[in-house]
Each structure stands twice: as structure tokens, then as C-alpha cells.
Amino acid sequence: MADPGNGNDEQRRKADPAELGSVLARYRERPTMGKLGLTVVPVVAFLAFGGIPDSMPGTGHLIFDVICLLLFVWGVYELTHSLASWLILHEDGIVYRGRRKVRWAHRWEDFKDVVLSHEVTYLGGSSRPISDKIVARLWTTDQGARELSGNYFLTDVGAGLLRTFLRSPGNLTPMFAGIIDRVVEARVRHDLRQLATEGGKVQYDHIELGGTYLYVKGAADEIPWDEVTRLTVDANHVAITVPHLRRRMEGIKLKADGRRENYRVGMDNTLYIEDKGLSSCRKAIIWSVMSDIAESTDTKPR
């Protein structure tokens, strides 16, 4: 299921679907068992407890009937909402739409991170899960996460609702790797454009990068790129060597080994940005931007 987000449609719709390029794939949303249960259970409960009374019901029975009715209406709404929903992957972005309107649309560069999680739900002491799915949370720069459950989107075969469910060749899950790749490529291009503009900057957690400097949140001074003597990008960390680094880091409460969150200040005047706690998507973005900076910055030993 796609997270509908908050606010009105105009605020949520970040991009014009017509400007997102060619369509790569279309997926149809599959209603969840929860939505189906929300539709069926209130009816069953209503009938089980007497159905339509022959005479004026008591207050308790009336309240129960109203609750069943509200739950049923809500379930029908959610079920209809799913049956008339599509997720469309474009060359330059992603669109979640209903039959008549776009619910939200984003360019790939609108996302700063994609986090995948394996979510399994068991009922009671059963060893067989009632739900087993891969969920992708696409974190936007300003609107929280768009949540996509892989099993809840089936490839649209373009032959109607029933045939989609019966003949769909697969679900959305295999596309998550490609979505991450597109987000990384688009976000890296976006961040490099930001750094190339006058006064442009990008923020990676506690690390701020500008076109002419690097700054660690809480530090006494910025670090101009032209004072960096070495910048290397390895598999597990980015190493940035600067003269008198520890003095520049005054104001930051470091652990005994120089660590703080996902970076470390070494005794060799080197700032090590580590991949601890980073998703594969976030790491790829930061490492790619740092690699570009390393190639364009003179970091020969002085």
C-alpha cells in the first residue's frame, strides 16, 4: 500500500506527471486482507447479533449498529480506494494515482533515502506468517516517507482488474533495487548541482558540504576544501585529512576514541566518515558525491 501522506493534494503533488518522461512500468494496487476484513467483519458481527431489529433497539444495540455501519463504510472506502489505484514508474520519477486524480508524484531527486525492510507478521503461536513482505520507505526531503509494500502492487497487464490479479507476472518487490539506483543517480546529480552554485550546500546528517568548505555540526570552524591535504573514498569510510583538525573540532563532545555518531576524528588529523547506520542508498549518495569532490579537489600532500 502506498502511504497517502498528509495535507491537501496540491501540497503533496511535488511533480507534474507529464514531465516525468516515458513510463517504465505500471503496477495496480492489491487490496490487503485488513481492508477486506474491515469490510466483511462488521457485516458478520451485525448479522450475528440480531441484524435489523423488529422494534426500536436499546441504546447499547443502537451504538453497536452505528459502529458496525461506520466500520463497514470505512472498509468499503479503503477497498474501493485500492481497487482504483496505480503506481507508475517513469524515467524521471514515480506517480501514485487514482482513476481521476494524482495522489502524489515525485521526481527521483526528491528522495534523499530509500530504506528496505523485511516485515513478517504472525498470528498467535503460528509458525506460518499471515503477512510476509518487503517494504520500501522512500524518504522525501520535506514530506516524510512514501511507503510501498512490494506484495501489495501487482504488474498491470492492461486487461482489467480481475485479469491483473489472476495473470500478473509479478509484484513490485523486484523493482526496489532499480528504484534505489535511480534515486542515487538523480540525488547525486542534484547535490552536485547544488554544490556548483554560489552559496549552495548539502546536508548529510551532521556533515555539511559547501562548494568551498566542509563543516561538522558543533565544530569551532569550517574546513576549506583548499586546506584539505588528502581525501580518499574507501569501501567503509571516507577519509579527509586536514592540518590541525582536532583544534577545528573543538566544541564537539567526542568519545575517548574520537567517535561521534557515524564519524571519527583520528589522531592523525583525519576525519573519517563511516558507513555505520547508513542505508545502502544513503551511503551510495554520500560516497558518490565525495568521490566527485575528491576528483575535483587538489589533495596532493603539501
Side-chain angles (χ1 to χ4, degrees):
M1 182 178 66
D3 180 11
N6 297 312
N8 61 48
D9 291 329
E10 291 303 321
Q11 291 175 328
R12 282 154 37 198
R13 192 183 304 133
K14 293 281 291 181
D16 183 353
E19 299 176 355
L20 297 180
S22 59
V23 174
L24 301 177
R26 289 172 58 93
Y27 292 86
R28 191 147 197 166
E29 184 171 340
R30 179 172 64 181
T32 65
M33 291 300 295
K35 292 179 180 179
L36 185 60
L38 193 60
T39 305
V40 175
V41 171
V43 176
V44 173
F46 175 76
L47 295 176
F49 285 90
I52 301 175
D54 296 329
S55 59
M56 185 65 183
T59 302
H61 198 290
L62 184 61
I63 293 175
F64 175 78
D65 291 348
V66 171
I67 292 175
C68 287
L69 177 62
L70 293 177
L71 289 175
F72 172 73
V73 171
W74 184 20
V76 170
Y77 169 78
E78 290 290 340
L79 201 61
T80 305
H81 186 278
S82 287
L83 293 174
S85 298
W86 288 265
L87 187 75
I88 307 171
L89 306 183
H90 290 257
E91 188 71 30
D92 298 322
I94 184 170
V95 177
Y96 178 59
R97 66 169 301 126
R99 188 175 299 278
R100 296 182 179 180
K101 65 180 180 179
V102 173
R103 299 196 173 105
W104 53 258
H106 291 282
R107 294 184 177 277
W108 296 121
E109 66 184 39
D110 292 338
F111 300 109
K112 63 179 181 180
D113 196 4
V114 181
V115 180
L116 301 183
S117 60
H118 184 199
E119 299 184 2
V120 182
T121 303
Y122 295 90
L123 183 62
S126 174
S127 60
R128 178 171 294 182
I130 61 172
S131 176
D132 187 349
K133 59 190 177 184
I134 303 296
V135 176
R137 291 177 176 83
L138 286 71
W139 289 92
T140 65
T141 54
D142 59 356
Q143 294 185 324
R146 302 300 192 188
E147 184 176 300
L148 303 177
S149 299
N151 291 355
Y152 295 165
F153 287 93
L154 299 179
T155 304
D156 191 344
V157 297
L161 184 65
L162 184 59
R163 289 190 179 183
T164 293
F165 291 156
L166 296 178
R167 300 183 181 182
S168 174
N171 58 35
L172 180 65
T173 304
M175 286 296 295
F176 285 157
I179 288 175
I180 291 176
D181 289 343
R182 290 185 178 277
V183 169
V184 170
E185 293 171 2
R187 193 67 202 175
V188 169
R189 288 196 301 269
H190 171 274
D191 289 357
L192 291 177
R193 285 198 305 269
Q194 284 289 102
L195 294 176
T197 60
E198 185 177 356
K201 62 182 179 180
V202 293
Q203 189 81 33
Y204 300 131
D205 299 319
H206 292 79
I207 308 295
E208 179 182 300
L209 305 182
T212 60
Y213 70 92
L214 175 148
Y215 178 69
V216 181
K217 184 178 180 180
D221 295 310
E222 296 176 349
I223 301 172
W225 287 120
D226 58 10
E227 293 185 18
V228 173
T229 59
R230 183 173 65 94
L231 198 167
T232 59
V233 180
D234 296 325
N236 299 320
H237 66 259
V238 176
I240 305 169
T241 303
V242 189
H244 311 297
L245 176 64
R246 296 189 72 86
R247 177 178 58 78
R248 295 172 184 268
M249 293 295 103
E250 290 179 357
I252 301 177
K253 293 182 179 179
L254 301 172
K255 296 181 180 179
D257 60 357
R259 294 184 184 276
R260 177 73 185 270
E261 280 80 30
N262 63 333
Y263 64 87
R264 176 170 61 88
V265 179
M267 297 301 295
D268 57 351
N269 286 316
T270 298
L271 173 66
Y272 295 93
I273 302 175
E274 302 174 337
D275 60 1
K276 178 182 178 182
L278 295 177
S279 67
S280 59
C281 176
R282 194 64 171 163
K283 176 182 176 180
I285 293 171
I286 298 172
W287 263 232
S288 296
V289 170
M290 285 296 189
S291 294
D292 188 88
I293 293 174
E295 293 175 0
S296 61
T297 304
D298 178 13
T299 57
K300 297 179 180 179
R302 296 183 179 85

